[in-house]
Amino acid sequence: MSSGKPIVRQIAWISLIPQLVIMLILIITASMIFGPSSPVIDIIILLYFLYPFISRKLIARNHQNGIKLFKSGSEMAKSALRMLNPLQ
C-alpha cells in the first residue's frame, strides 16, 4: 500500500504558537473554575492531544479503502471514478 517514501509532517509554527497561547488561556480559566488539581483539566488536555491521531485514523480509513479498491482493479471503483470525471 505504501509507496516506500517516508511521510514527513512539518510543523506549522505560525499556526502552533497562537494555538498554544489560546490553550494556555483555556487551561488557566478551567483551573480557576474547577480548581488547580482537578482531573477535568487532565481529561481535557488528554483529549486535546489525542484528537489529531483519532481523527486522522477515522478520516483516512475511507480514503485508504478507496485506494485499495482502485488498485485491485475493481470495476466498481473505476466506474465511480468515471462518474466523478466524465472526460476520461
Side-chain angles (χ1 to χ4, degrees):
M1 176 78 194
S2 67
S3 65
K5 294 181 182 180
I7 297 174
V8 178
R9 291 186 172 90
Q10 295 182 347
I11 297 174
W13 292 106
I14 195 78
S15 300
L16 184 67
I17 293 170
Q19 187 176 9
L20 290 176
V21 170
I22 292 171
M23 185 174 154
L24 182 64
I25 291 170
L26 291 174
I27 289 172
I28 290 171
T29 305
S31 67
M32 291 161 112
I33 294 171
F34 297 112
S37 61
S38 174
V40 172
I41 297 171
D42 296 336
I43 293 170
I44 291 170
I45 293 171
L46 180 68
L47 290 174
Y48 178 82
F49 285 112
L50 288 177
Y51 173 75
F53 300 107
I54 294 170
S55 64
R56 193 175 298 143
K57 289 290 182 187
L58 292 176
I59 293 170
R61 182 185 318 151
N62 291 332
H63 173 73
Q64 290 169 353
N65 289 341
I67 295 295
K68 285 179 190 175
L69 188 65
F70 184 76
K71 285 186 176 181
S72 70
S74 168
E75 190 56 40
M76 183 176 71
K78 290 179 183 177
S79 65
L81 185 62
R82 280 192 294 269
M83 284 176 36
L84 292 174
N85 191 0
L87 298 177
Q88 286 185 341

